[in-house]
Amino acid sequence: MELVLEKVNKLKGNIFVPGDKSISHRSLILGSIAQGETRIYNFLDSLDCLKTLECMQALGAEIDLGKDNSIKIKGKGLYGLQEAKDMLDVGNSGTTIRLLTGLLSGQNFYSVLNGDNSIRRRPMKRVVEPLRLMRADIRGRENGQLTPLSIKGARLNPLRYTLPVASAQVKSALLLAALYTIGETVIKEPLPTRDHTERMLKIMQADIKIFPLEIKIKGGKELNGTDIFIPGDISSAAYFIVAASILKGSQIIINQVGVNPTRTGIIEILKKMGAKIDILNYKIKSNEPQADLKIEYSDLKGVEIKEEMVPFLIDELPLIAVVATQSQGKTVVTGAKELRVKETDRIKATVNELKKMGADIEEREDGFIIKGPSKLQGAVCNSYNDHRIAMSLSVAGLLAEGRTVIQNSECIDISFPGFKNTLRKLINS
Ligand code: S3P
């Protein structure tokens, strides 16, 4: 499917964005292994999260997806899942495969995890290696580095481990596995990464202690089901935050967006670049902060983004490249080589496609350098079947002269099924 964009004057209006993807995945997994009922509100019914839902159902979880994106789960307890009758298909979802590898390692049954072409290229060693230290029995291509993975559930030992890569998916996989051990697991992070798993485990009364860059968790204790209100996904809001910041005369409000400090790098960096973003009605729901965001157009300048900042805005870096093309001076992103192993190589994809549109962008092994501002020209762009690339290029298409065509744009449904309609609302209002 092609998405066609024309140059737009400004964005105006008041919108909601769908629920947070990371929190939606976690609510399904933890709700299924908790005791009692979990009700989830504002669940993200995108392709990725529906894959987690189907996998959990195949493992015997009782999950009802109701109307208006609410979910009811009758929890099975820590030891209540069952062997699936077939391979578990995670589709395109890295979060599903990494988190389930941790969860399934500690079960008393056998599982096989498989996914699409992109999943079969993504590195799994980062989860398999520490899980094997816990005595997990995991096999896969290239000695368990690549999917499909087969997991023979085993009695796991607790672990003391320092993550070599800053990855919330790996951290979460280990936390899930740790629930199935007797004793204390200690996980240290090189840099802070999104902490949704820890926050949810806390409200489900896990035996968990959270310190800066260190988590201690004791296994064997049942979790309690609870109500989970999922805030809007800041990574989805980011496309409109950026579009409103760079289209002259724009003023928009995005309601009830998750503003967990491990996710707000995009706001911090845009503010550093000179953006006008107000955070209103801040509150905490289900142990996650949320707020309304008011964004107005403003003149922006280039910025430097280094490794320490990367986990706070990892999924927004292709979009930052788009902002940088409209900002005065140089933007330099370093320490972001993780982008090369996302749904696609996001450094290459961003550089190739923005070049086609006339941006002054240079590829670096671990990031990119952009000189702005430059006038973008509409072009026929490839999404590389990567939702974040497709939506970032759509934002570029709103300010480019002429028509921009995004090929294979159906991948947007991976994280944001209503993207086009929400954008249309801001263009028309
Ligand atoms: C995610 C963590 C990040 C992020 C991904 C979602 C999560 O991946 O890029 O979109 O839900 O834990 P890494 O853990 O690989 O950094």
Side-chain angles (χ1 to χ4, degrees):
M1 200 175 33
E2 288 184 343
L3 176 61
V4 180
L5 298 126
E6 305 271 355
K7 192 173 158 117
V8 156
N9 269 332
K10 59 182 169 206
L11 298 186
K12 287 263 174 205
N14 197 317
I15 54 164
F16 286 83
V17 290
D20 187 274
K21 181 154 89 70
S22 293
I23 302 177
S24 293
H25 285 296
R26 287 152 171 83
S27 64
L28 291 172
I29 297 172
L30 291 181
S32 298
I33 59 166
Q35 283 187 333
E37 195 170 278
T38 288
R39 285 191 181 247
I40 307 169
Y41 300 95
N42 200 32
F43 173 76
L44 170 66
D45 60 347
S46 74
L47 293 180
D48 261 16
C49 299
L50 291 174
K51 281 295 175 196
T52 296
L53 191 149
E54 285 164 19
C55 288
M56 294 313 298
Q57 282 176 331
L59 291 162
E62 284 183 57
I63 307 175
D64 290 324
L65 176 53
K67 292 194 189 95
D68 60 31
N69 297 355
S70 70
I71 288 205
K72 194 163 91 182
I73 306 180
K74 249 198 229 160
K76 292 279 170 191
L78 268 187
Y79 304 98
L81 296 178
Q82 292 162 12
E83 186 168 277
K85 294 192 175 60
D86 205 341
M87 280 200 294
L88 297 163
D89 174 18
V90 307
N92 188 248
S93 176
T95 305
T96 310
I97 196 157
R98 302 238 172 80
L99 268 57
L100 290 191
T101 302
L103 177 77
L104 295 172
S105 290
Q107 306 299 321
N108 59 1
F109 54 76
Y110 176 70
S111 309
V112 181
L113 288 162
N114 199 7
D116 68 7
N117 286 336
S118 154
I119 280 291
R120 282 194 291 273
R121 284 193 297 267
R122 297 187 67 183
M124 294 302 295
K125 185 175 164 204
R126 54 185 61 196
V127 269
V128 171
E129 204 167 69
L131 286 169
R132 280 180 178 160
L133 294 175
M134 299 173 87
R135 298 189 53 169
D137 185 351
I138 307 171
R139 314 282 164 95
R141 290 183 295 135
E142 295 189 23
N143 190 25
Q145 295 194 45
L146 294 171
T147 317
L149 295 179
S150 79
I151 304 166
K152 189 163 162 251
R155 270 185 191 280
L156 302 180
N157 286 338
L159 178 73
R160 294 186 77 89
Y161 192 68
T162 302
L163 299 174
V165 265
S167 163
Q169 291 176 355
V170 179
K171 172 177 66 174
S172 303
L174 299 181
L175 287 170
L176 289 169
L179 294 174
Y180 293 90
T181 64
I182 306 292
E184 188 177 69
T185 289
V186 182
I187 303 167
K188 292 185 195 237
E189 300 188 271
L191 292 169
T193 63
R194 65 191 68 189
D195 61 357
H196 307 301
T197 310
E198 299 91 294
R199 284 174 182 259
M200 202 177 285
L201 281 167
K202 189 106 205 161
I203 58 169
M204 290 185 157
Q205 264 117 53
D207 191 342
I208 185 167
K209 292 192 191 117
I210 304 163
F211 308 96
L213 298 176
E214 185 177 282
I215 306 149
K216 293 183 175 174
I217 183 163
K218 281 194 188 139
K221 180 170 186 283
E222 291 285 351
L223 307 176
N224 291 343
T226 186
D227 285 350
I228 300 172
F229 297 89
I230 303 183
D233 196 325
I234 188 166
S235 295
S236 299
Y239 303 102
F240 309 118
I241 301 175
V242 161
S245 297
I246 56 186
L247 289 166
K248 237 186 196 124
S250 297
Q251 195 194 82
I252 66 167
I253 291 182
I254 315 178
N255 299 289
Q256 292 171 17
V257 179
V259 288
N260 177 317
T262 60
R263 298 286 298 282
T264 46
I266 180 72
I267 296 180
E268 279 171 48
I269 285 296
L270 284 171
K271 280 191 167 170
K272 222 168 153 187
M273 297 174 89
K276 272 197 204 161
I277 304 171
D278 289 325
I279 297 182
L280 313 166
N281 300 320
Y282 178 94
K283 50 172 128 14
I284 295 189
K285 269 182 147 182
S286 307
N287 206 17
E288 288 283 351
Q290 64 170 53
D292 301 335
L293 304 178
K294 183 175 163 210
I295 305 107
E296 278 174 66
Y297 164 82
S298 163
D299 285 332
L300 302 181
K301 57 180 195 301
V303 74
E304 203 176 326
I305 300 177
K306 293 191 180 149
E307 192 172 8
E308 314 81 83
M309 196 64 198
V310 165
F312 299 119
L313 40 66
I314 181 76
D315 294 331
E316 286 67 72
L317 285 169
L319 184 61
I320 286 183
V322 176
V323 196
T325 68
Q326 303 308 303
S327 307
Q328 193 70 47
K330 208 154 112 178
T331 293
V332 182
V333 175
T334 53
K337 67 173 189 303
E338 273 295 299
L339 287 182
R340 299 224 179 251
V341 292
K342 292 291 174 188
E343 284 82 331
T344 189
D345 177 342
R346 286 185 177 161
I347 295 181
K348 204 161 226 67
T350 303
V351 171
N352 286 353
E353 301 314 293
L354 286 180
K355 259 192 187 155
K356 279 187 197 165
M357 299 181 82
D360 182 348
I361 179 166
E362 192 186 310
E363 180 174 349
R364 286 292 159 99
E365 193 40 45
D366 64 345
F368 39 75
I369 300 177
I370 295 169
K371 287 193 201 113
S374 47
K375 272 204 180 307
L376 298 184
Q377 296 294 328
V380 177
C381 294
N382 188 348
S383 72
Y384 299 77
N385 295 312
D386 182 325
H387 54 132
R388 306 245 174 253
I389 296 296
M391 289 186 274
S392 302
L393 293 171
S394 303
V395 174
L398 297 178
L399 41 98
E401 292 297 332
R403 270 157 61 101
T404 298
V405 178
I406 319 280
Q407 293 176 321
N408 302 319
S409 65
E410 59 280 359
C411 57
I412 289 173
D413 291 353
I414 296 279
S415 65
F416 195 165
F419 175 71
K420 217 165 99 181
N421 287 343
T422 309
L423 181 59
R424 204 174 283 144
K425 190 175 165 206
L426 290 176
I427 294 171
N428 293 338
S429 51

